[in-house]
Every structure is written in structure tokens, then in C-alpha cells.
Amino acid sequence: MRVKDERKIEVIYEATLHLIQEVGIAGITVAKIAKEAKLATGTVYIYFKNKEELINQLYLHLKKQTTENLFVGFDPAEPIKVCMKKLFVNALKNKMASFKEGVFMEQYYHSPYISQEAKQIGQTKMLPIIELMERGKQELLIKPIENEVLLGLMAGFVRQLAQAHIVQKFEMTSERIEHSFQVIWDAMKA
Amino acid sequence: MRVKDERKIEVIYEATLHLIQEVGIAGITVAKIAKEAKLATGTVYIYFKNKEELINQLYLHLKKQTTENLFVGFDPAEPIKVCMKKLFVNALKNKMASFKEGVFMEQYYHSPYISQEAKQIGQTKMLPIIELMERGKQELLIKPIENEVLLGLMAGFVRQLAQAHIVQKFEMTSERIEHSFQVIWDAMKA
Amino acid sequence: MRVKDERKIEVIYEATLHLIQEVGIAGITVAKIAKEAKLATGTVYIYFKNKEELINQLYLHLKKQTTENLFVGFDPAEPIKVCMKKLFVNALKNKMASFKEGVFMEQYYHSPYISQEAKQIGQTKMLPIIELMERGKQELLIKPIENEVLLGLMAGFVRQLAQAHIVQKFEMTSERIEHSFQVIWDAMKA
Amino acid sequence: MRVKDERKIEVIYEATLHLIQEVGIAGITVAKIAKEAKLATGTVYIYFKNKEELINQLYLHLKKQTTENLFVGFDPAEPIKVCMKKLFVNALKNKMASFKEGVFMEQYYHSPYISQEAKQIGQTKMLPIIELMERGKQELLIKPIENEVLLGLMAGFVRQLAQAHIVQKFEMTSERIEHSFQVIWDAMKA
DNA sequence: CATGAATGAGTTTTCATTCAT
DNA sequence: TATGAATGAAAACTCATTCAT
């Protein structure tokens, strides 16, 4: 694997994601990826040792990227509700913008490619959110229930909204985002 | 002669689901399925024309099954909140009990196997829930917001709770189920 | 292999011939033969040890049958031309009536089923014809050329006429048979 | 990169023909073809979509080739008998030189591979010969009988002579060819 | 580096044959 | 005997990976 043309890696990632959204991990072949990326199959092997490596690199790449985006503009010093909204809106926008990536992540999780370690990771990025929730509970603003429940509520909601947006073309206006946050806040608030 | 044993279909389904949970749709082979089901590879082809057919039949089979389970004990004549709770609890319990199936369903959705029709189906089963929500809105018990949002809220929540239960061994006590419903009801209620 | 129901063997032969005419030796399977014969696959194996045996038995069966028919009404004491005509007409009628069989014989000749011995046989039945030709040459009625040539002339002609009859629906009226013999006799006569 | 070698198609054709002569269409497998052609099985699939396609392409290829060869040096302006002799000799020499091809053509005709269209084709190449015969009849040089009969006479004779040549090692000297044409001309001439 | 033809191991699928009923 | 479901070896076909150009 060489590193000459960094853009090619990006092109390969993009092609892979696109294909996975369409036909799933089960449906991809290196030939298809190469074709989608307008490269020769052999070229893919210049940048990645093999298919497994490509998939795993892509996973790591996305993991890093999506985590960063979640906390854009987030300031833990602000009030709980403001923080929560920021996170919710960030999460939703990210999920919609990176739906392909989300599909890949979920497919990856139940695939022959994932390593046991990789299964463990992924929780860490949630820490700042957990802390926020704990604070909310102490301030008696958030229901005194398990973080798993609160987290599941939010993560699940975001996921489904994004899916509706992509699959059923459910337009995500700022008004709808407002309403959605209202709903989730009603659910969490003490 | 040996009589065609319809239970074999069940055995093949079970084996397939088990494998998919472990290695995903990408990881299954007919040989593995047959081995898991303790059959010869050829036998699988007596019951299913080919691998694609097997996957598709399995999907339809599960779709039907989970839909039926969702409405067990459901009586639309009862008050909105009671109905909602019934659906929520049913959905959650089903999802936990049939996590393998859920994994398969999601993988299937983004796979080379799914047909366009199959994508369309699956919405229909939601109709009774939609009607319930509409009624709730008329009775001013439920927030006057889009069904997609309400549905996404519930479906996403159920999904994540079941996932936490299975993956992180989050014990789903009846108390937690109560709390969870309280949360979701607070979210929905007007 | 049992012999209880001799008719079943006939049915299997007939089914096999029919199929081979349609899809060739390359296209037959035991399952197809059984279906065509309205039997279960297993039943075929009661009458024949295996597929190879079935094909070979069929060959022997047909070989015997067709040879017998060639000399019906043939009397070497009659004049050469009369004898020749008898043989020609017999051969042509046989070939048309048993076209399926002919197709099989030719396919069999170039197939993995034929044994080396079987390739050798098949010439013997020609002996009376050879003798007839020799006599014709001595009587200066037939051209003094190699028997292979004379035989090829007749055999080839008969084959093509039968093929035209079956494949192109070329009606074989008695008038046409007369003309055809006239042609072949002109070719042979000194 | 290695350049796609069109000669490989020729090599595959040759290997296939060779095998078919030995074991018939029924006996060939892609693995055997590849081995005979000294290629990997996968390579065959670069040049042909599947086995059926390979067989069909081979047929078309041979059909074209043999038709062209048949009319080499043929000039319809020459006298009937000269034309006829040219065709006869061409046909015979081709048939002997391409016996493998002939075996394949006949097997193909009764095989699961042939398409209905392919059955129709193959007659067309006969047109110039038909025209020649019609002219011969008008000039009262050829017997006023059906073209099917005349054609069958010639085609069958050629076929059997070539077969005798190959199978029984019947030496085809130019003297014998002369005699053979004399025979066939006596048959046709008015 | 880039290409895509070639390779052959691995998968899907077929089918001759067996065997429980 | 007769049946056709079950078996598994073998055939068709795919695709990750290599390699000559």
C-alpha cells in the first residue's frame, strides 16, 4: 500500500459507501468498488492490502469523523437544555448527512469483518453525553432514570428520523426539528 | 418414501438467522447454513430454489410473524394510553426475544437480495398504530405532530432498548419497562 | 435391477429417446427421464443399475431392432436392382420411422457412454449389402468402385432424406421415393 | 497490464472441439476445456459469459467458417458441371479437414444449447447451391426433381465419405474423388 | 503507480444415486 | 416394487488477489 494519491483513498471510501448503501456489505465486490471509483481493480490493492483491510480502514475512518462532528459548537458550560438541543440537532444533521456511513456502520457491526476489539470501542464517544445527563439529574431537570434508557431514547429517535428523511423523503424542516426536540425533551425532563 | 418434512424449512430458517447474527448476510454460505441445520447442501435446494429465494422467504416469514406478535392482546376499544402501552411493551418484548430476526431484517434492507416490492411492504403493518395516533390527536391526548415523528420516536426507542438489552446485557426488569413507557408517554402526550 | 414389469423398461426407453431428440444426450438427467416416463426417479434404478447402464442398454436394444428391420422382405435371389430398391426403401422407411433412434445412435457414438467395443460393432449388419454390391459389379450392373463409396452414397442419401422429412416436414410420398431410388440407381449403375 | 489476447478465444474453441469429438457435448465441462486450453477455469469466463454462450459462439463461428470455405473458387458463371464439381470437392475436403467441427455441429443440433433461431440459420448458406440446381434443371442438365432430394444426395454422400475417411481410414485419393463425383453426377444429371 | 487480464480457491447449484417409508 | 426426499460429489460460476505490461 502506497500513499501517493491521498484523494484516491477518499474516492475508494466514497465508492464503497455508496455501494454498501445500495447492496449492503454482502453485495460488494472489489471489482464493483473499483468500477464505481473509476479505477482498475488492481489499483485498489495499491492503497489497501486487501478487501478486509479496506472495510476496516473505512470503519475507523468513519468512526473518527462522525465522533468529531457530534460535538461541534457544544459548550458544556451552557444550560442543560441548550446543550441537549445542540447535541440532538448535531446528531440528527450528522445522521442525515451521513446516512450511507450509518448504514455501513450497522452492517459492519454484524459482519465477518469486524474484530472483537472494534465491537468494544464506540461507547467512549458517548462519555460527554453521559456526563451531561448525570448533571441534568443532579439539577433535577432530567428524570432520574438509567443513562442507557435516556441514551437509547435519543439515539433511537435520531436514527429513525434520519431514516424517514432518507428513505421516505421526509423533509426535515427546522420547524420539524424544533418539534422533534420538544418531544424528546418532554420525554427526558423531570 | 421419506415424507417432505415441512419442519425442515423452520430448521433452515433458524440456522440462517443464527449465522447471520454472527457473520452477517455477507458471511453466510449455503454450505454453512446446511451444516448448521445438519443437512446436506443439496437438501436446502429442495426447499428453496436458490439462496436468494431462501433469504427472501425468510424475510417474508419474519415480517408476518413479528407483525402478528405486535398486536397480541391489542384492543383498539381501550383508552389510548392503555393501547399505546400494550404496543410499546409488545414491541419491546418481541424485539428482545427476536433480536436475531431484527438484525437480519436490517441487514436485509440494505442487501442485494431485497426486491423493490419488499421494500414497499412493511409499512402496511403500521396502519393500526397510525390510526391510534390520529385518534389520540383528535382526543387532544397526543401532540399534534407528524406520525413519522411519533412513530420514529417509539420505534427508535424500542430498537435501542432491545439493543442495550442484548449487547450490553442491560437487564429489562418490569420496573424499567414501566419507566421507559413513562418516558415515551411524556414525549407523546399533548 | 428387476424384471417384473417389462413394459416399464419400454416406457423408460421411449422417454429417454424422446428427450434425447429434444435436448441431446448432454441435456438428459435421470430426473427428466423419470418425469417423462411418469415414474419416480428411484424407479428407474430398479430397472437399470445406473444412468450409463440405461444408455448402453438402450443402444443395444436399438441396434438389434433396427438391424432386423432392414432386411424385411429381402430376397437375395431376386435381381440386383430389385434387391437394391428393397434395401433402399426399407432403410429410408426405417430411418424415418425411427428418427429419434437415429439421433440417439449418432449422439451415442460421440459420447462419454460408448465403450470401445461398441464403436467397433455396427459394421457387421452391412455384410449382405456388401455381398449384393459385389455381385452387382460381377454382373457389370454396378460401377466397379469401392464398396465404401457405394455404401456411403446410399447411407448418406437415406440419412438426409429422413432428416428432411422429420425436420423440414418434407412429405415422403411414394412418388418421391420412386424418384429418389431412380437417382441413387443412376448413381450406382454401371 | 496483460493485453486481452483474442487468440485465446481460438484456443478455447480448439480445446472445446477436441473434447467434444472425444466425449461429446455431454462429456465436456468447463474445467476440462480450461485444462485442455491450458488456462484457469476463470479465464474462460472472461471470454464467454457462460458455458452455453461458449457453445453457441463456437457454433456460429464454425458455421461462418465452413460456409466461406464451401464457396472458395466457386464461379457461378462456369458450366453447371464444373460448378457442381467445385462444390462437391470443396465440401468433401472441408468435411474431411474439419471432421471435429462436423461432429460438433451435429451434436449441437440436438442439444440443450441450440436456440430456435440457430436452427433456422444454416439453411441460408445453401441458397447459391439451390440457384445452381434450378439453373441446371432449366438447362435440362439436371433431373427435374425436388431440391431437397438433390441436396440430400450430395450432402449425405459427402458426409459419409468424410466419415469413412476419418473413422475407417479410407484414403481419399484424387482418383477416388473423381470417381465419387462421377457417381454423384450420374445421379443428378438428367 | 496504474491497469485489467489471469488465476484458482471458494461458492452456488445440479444431479446421479441412495434410502426410509 | 414404487416413491421422492435426502445426500454429497462434481459441475458451473464468482471473485479476491496477483502479475505482466
Side-chain angles (χ1 to χ4, degrees):
Chain A
M1 168 185 162
R2 292 297 191 82
V3 201
K4 179 65 181 291
D5 192 347
E6 191 68 30
R7 265 167 310 145
K8 282 227 173 66
I9 291 183
E10 208 51 54
V11 170
I12 293 170
Y13 281 161
E14 203 48 54
T16 308
L17 279 175
H18 181 125
L19 281 170
I20 285 178
Q21 187 189 18
E22 282 187 358
V23 296
I25 286 192
I28 54 167
T29 67
V30 176
K32 279 187 201 161
I33 292 171
K35 196 175 178 191
E36 177 80 25
K38 293 185 200 306
L39 296 171
T41 42
T43 310
V44 174
Y45 284 85
I46 293 169
Y47 293 92
F48 299 94
K49 207 174 91 243
N50 54 35
K51 187 179 166 185
E52 190 176 343
E53 179 93 354
L54 161 54
I55 301 288
N56 284 317
Q57 288 301 124
L58 176 53
Y59 173 78
L60 260 38
H61 174 74
L62 293 178
K63 195 87 214 169
K64 187 156 150 266
Q65 184 184 296
T66 57
T67 307
E68 283 164 357
N69 291 341
L70 185 59
F71 295 100
V72 165
F74 174 78
D75 178 4
E78 289 185 296
I80 296 283
K81 194 173 173 183
V82 174
C83 286
M84 236 20 153
K85 189 167 179 182
K86 190 99 228 164
L87 287 176
F88 175 76
V89 175
N90 274 354
L92 181 55
K93 288 191 169 165
N94 285 344
K95 201 82 178 179
M96 289 189 298
S98 315
F99 193 70
K100 285 200 297 280
E101 287 79 350
V103 168
F104 168 70
M105 301 294 255
E106 291 183 4
Q107 295 250 333
Y108 180 78
Y109 194 83
H110 297 278
S111 82
Y113 299 107
I114 194 168
S115 61
Q116 218 47 43
E117 319 120 66
K119 276 206 180 189
Q120 246 87 68
I121 318 173
Q123 323 298 46
T124 50
K125 75 158 175 176
M126 293 304 174
L127 276 182
I129 311 181
I130 304 261
E131 281 164 20
L132 189 69
M133 285 170 171
E134 285 299 329
R135 208 181 95 207
K137 286 188 231 171
Q138 279 172 18
E139 297 178 13
L140 302 181
L141 288 173
I142 287 183
K143 287 195 179 80
I145 52 179
E146 289 89 349
N147 292 323
E148 283 89 346
V149 175
L150 292 170
L151 220 45
L153 181 72
M154 196 149 140
F157 192 31
V158 165
R159 184 185 184 278
Q160 293 307 109
L161 285 177
Q163 177 143 308
H165 172 69
I166 300 289
V167 178
Q168 302 159 53
K169 316 288 180 207
F170 183 69
E171 194 74 40
M172 215 61 208
T173 61
S174 55
E175 198 191 3
R176 277 176 175 162
I177 294 182
E178 284 301 319
H179 285 165
S180 296
F181 179 68
Q182 194 55 54
V183 163
I184 205 95
W185 181 252
D186 283 350
M188 303 172 76
K189 77 154 185 263
Chain B
M1 61 147 195
R2 271 174 264 187
V3 73
K4 199 163 173 176
D5 184 358
E6 286 306 316
R7 262 170 310 150
K8 282 224 172 65
I9 290 185
E10 214 43 64
V11 172
I12 293 170
Y13 282 162
E14 203 48 55
T16 308
L17 278 175
H18 182 199
L19 283 170
I20 285 178
Q21 189 190 18
E22 281 186 358
V23 295
I25 288 192
I28 53 167
T29 66
V30 176
K32 280 187 202 160
I33 292 171
K35 195 176 179 189
E36 176 81 23
K38 293 186 201 305
L39 295 171
T41 43
T43 309
V44 175
Y45 285 85
I46 294 173
Y47 294 90
F48 300 94
K49 209 174 91 249
N50 53 36
K51 185 178 163 185
E52 188 176 345
E53 180 92 355
L54 161 53
I55 301 287
N56 283 317
Q57 288 302 118
L58 175 53
Y59 174 77
L60 259 39
H61 174 74
L62 293 178
K63 196 87 214 169
K64 186 155 157 275
Q65 202 175 70
T66 55
T67 306
E68 281 168 4
N69 289 341
L70 184 58
F71 293 101
V72 166
F74 174 78
D75 179 5
E78 290 186 296
I80 296 281
K81 192 172 175 184
V82 174
C83 285
M84 239 17 156
K85 187 166 181 183
K86 188 101 231 163
L87 287 177
F88 176 75
V89 175
N90 274 355
L92 181 55
K93 288 191 169 166
N94 289 342
K95 201 83 179 179
M96 290 189 299
S98 313
F99 194 70
K100 283 202 296 285
E101 287 79 349
V103 168
F104 166 69
M105 305 286 262
E106 291 183 5
Q107 294 245 333
Y108 177 79
Y109 197 83
H110 297 278
S111 81
Y113 299 107
I114 193 167
S115 60
Q116 216 49 42
E117 318 120 68
K119 278 205 178 188
Q120 244 88 72
I121 313 175
Q123 321 298 46
T124 50
K125 76 156 177 176
M126 293 304 175
L127 276 182
I129 311 181
I130 304 265
E131 281 165 20
L132 190 68
M133 287 170 168
E134 286 299 328
R135 208 182 94 207
K137 287 188 231 170
Q138 280 173 17
E139 297 179 14
L140 303 180
L141 290 173
I142 288 183
K143 288 195 178 80
I145 53 180
E146 288 91 348
N147 293 323
E148 283 88 345
V149 175
L150 293 170
L151 222 44
L153 181 73
M154 195 150 142
F157 192 29
V158 164
R159 185 184 183 279
Q160 293 306 109
L161 285 178
Q163 177 144 306
H165 171 70
I166 301 290
V167 178
Q168 303 159 52
K169 315 287 181 209
F170 183 67
E171 194 75 40
M172 214 62 210
T173 60
S174 55
E175 198 191 3
R176 277 174 175 163
I177 294 181
E178 284 299 321
H179 286 163
S180 296
F181 179 68
Q182 194 55 53
V183 163
I184 206 95
W185 181 252
D186 284 349
M188 301 171 77
K189 76 155 184 262
Chain C
M1 167 186 162
R2 293 296 192 83
V3 200
K4 181 64 181 293
D5 192 347
E6 191 67 32
R7 267 167 309 146
K8 282 225 173 67
I9 291 184
E10 207 50 54
V11 170
I12 292 170
Y13 281 161
E14 202 49 52
T16 307
L17 279 175
H18 181 125
L19 281 170
I20 285 178
Q21 186 190 16
E22 283 187 356
V23 295
I25 286 193
I28 54 166
T29 67
V30 176
K32 279 187 201 161
I33 292 172
K35 195 175 178 191
E36 177 81 24
K38 294 186 201 304
L39 295 171
T41 42
T43 310
V44 174
Y45 284 85
I46 292 170
Y47 293 92
F48 299 94
K49 206 173 91 241
N50 53 36
K51 186 179 166 186
E52 190 177 344
E53 179 93 354
L54 161 55
I55 301 288
N56 284 318
Q57 287 303 122
L58 176 54
Y59 174 76
L60 260 40
H61 174 76
L62 293 178
K63 195 86 214 168
K64 189 158 150 263
Q65 184 185 294
T66 56
T67 308
E68 282 164 358
N69 292 340
L70 185 58
F71 295 100
V72 166
F74 174 78
D75 179 5
E78 290 186 295
I80 296 283
K81 193 174 173 183
V82 174
C83 286
M84 237 18 153
K85 186 167 181 183
K86 188 102 231 161
L87 285 177
F88 174 75
V89 175
N90 274 355
L92 181 55
K93 288 190 170 166
N94 286 344
K95 202 82 179 178
M96 290 190 298
S98 314
F99 193 71
K100 285 199 297 281
E101 287 79 349
V103 168
F104 168 71
M105 302 294 256
E106 290 183 5
Q107 293 251 332
Y108 180 78
Y109 194 84
H110 296 279
S111 82
Y113 299 107
I114 194 168
S115 61
Q116 218 46 43
E117 318 120 65
K119 276 205 179 188
Q120 245 87 70
I121 317 173
Q123 323 297 46
T124 49
K125 74 159 177 177
M126 294 302 174
L127 275 182
I129 311 180
I130 304 264
E131 282 165 18
L132 189 69
M133 286 170 170
E134 284 301 329
R135 210 184 93 207
K137 288 188 229 171
Q138 279 172 19
E139 297 179 14
L140 302 180
L141 289 173
I142 287 183
K143 289 195 179 80
I145 51 180
E146 290 88 348
N147 292 323
E148 283 88 346
V149 175
L150 292 170
L151 221 43
L153 182 72
M154 197 151 140
F157 193 29
V158 164
R159 183 184 184 280
Q160 293 305 110
L161 285 177
Q163 176 142 308
H165 172 69
I166 300 289
V167 177
Q168 302 160 53
K169 315 287 181 210
F170 184 68
E171 195 74 40
M172 215 61 209
T173 60
S174 55
E175 198 192 3
R176 277 175 174 162
I177 295 181
E178 284 300 320
H179 286 165
S180 297
F181 178 68
Q182 194 55 53
V183 164
I184 205 96
W185 181 251
D186 283 351
M188 301 172 77
K189 76 155 185 263
Chain D
M1 61 149 193
R2 270 172 264 187
V3 74
K4 201 163 172 177
D5 183 358
E6 286 307 316
R7 261 171 311 149
K8 282 224 172 65
I9 290 184
E10 214 44 62
V11 172
I12 293 170
Y13 282 162
E14 203 47 56
T16 307
L17 278 174
H18 182 199
L19 283 170
I20 285 177
Q21 189 189 20
E22 282 186 357
V23 295
I25 288 190
I28 52 167
T29 67
V30 176
K32 279 186 202 160
I33 292 171
K35 195 175 178 189
E36 177 79 24
K38 293 186 202 306
L39 295 171
T41 42
T43 308
V44 175
Y45 286 87
I46 293 173
Y47 294 90
F48 300 94
K49 207 174 91 249
N50 53 36
K51 187 177 161 183
E52 188 176 345
E53 180 91 355
L54 160 54
I55 301 287
N56 283 317
Q57 288 302 120
L58 176 53
Y59 174 78
L60 258 39
H61 174 74
L62 293 178
K63 195 87 215 168
K64 184 155 159 274
Q65 202 176 70
T66 56
T67 306
E68 281 167 3
N69 290 340
L70 184 58
F71 294 100
V72 165
F74 174 78
D75 178 4
E78 290 185 295
I80 297 281
K81 194 174 173 182
V82 174
C83 285
M84 240 15 158
K85 188 167 181 182
K86 188 101 229 162
L87 286 177
F88 175 75
V89 175
N90 274 355
L92 181 55
K93 288 191 170 167
N94 289 342
K95 201 85 179 176
M96 290 190 298
S98 314
F99 194 71
K100 284 201 296 283
E101 287 79 350
V103 168
F104 166 69
M105 305 286 262
E106 291 184 5
Q107 293 245 335
Y108 177 79
Y109 196 83
H110 297 278
S111 81
Y113 300 107
I114 193 168
S115 60
Q116 216 48 42
E117 317 119 69
K119 278 204 177 188
Q120 244 89 72
I121 313 173
Q123 322 297 48
T124 51
K125 76 157 176 175
M126 294 304 175
L127 276 181
I129 311 181
I130 304 260
E131 280 165 20
L132 189 69
M133 287 170 170
E134 286 299 328
R135 209 182 93 207
K137 287 187 230 170
Q138 279 173 17
E139 296 179 13
L140 303 180
L141 289 172
I142 288 183
K143 288 195 179 81
I145 52 179
E146 289 88 348
N147 293 323
E148 283 89 345
V149 175
L150 292 169
L151 221 44
L153 181 73
M154 196 150 142
F157 193 30
V158 165
R159 184 184 183 279
Q160 293 305 110
L161 285 177
Q163 177 143 307
H165 171 70
I166 301 290
V167 178
Q168 302 159 53
K169 316 287 180 208
F170 183 67
E171 195 74 41
M172 214 63 209
T173 60
S174 56
E175 198 191 3
R176 277 175 173 163
I177 294 181
E178 285 299 322
H179 286 164
S180 296
F181 179 69
Q182 195 55 54
V183 164
I184 206 94
W185 182 251
D186 283 350
M188 302 171 76
K189 76 155 184 262

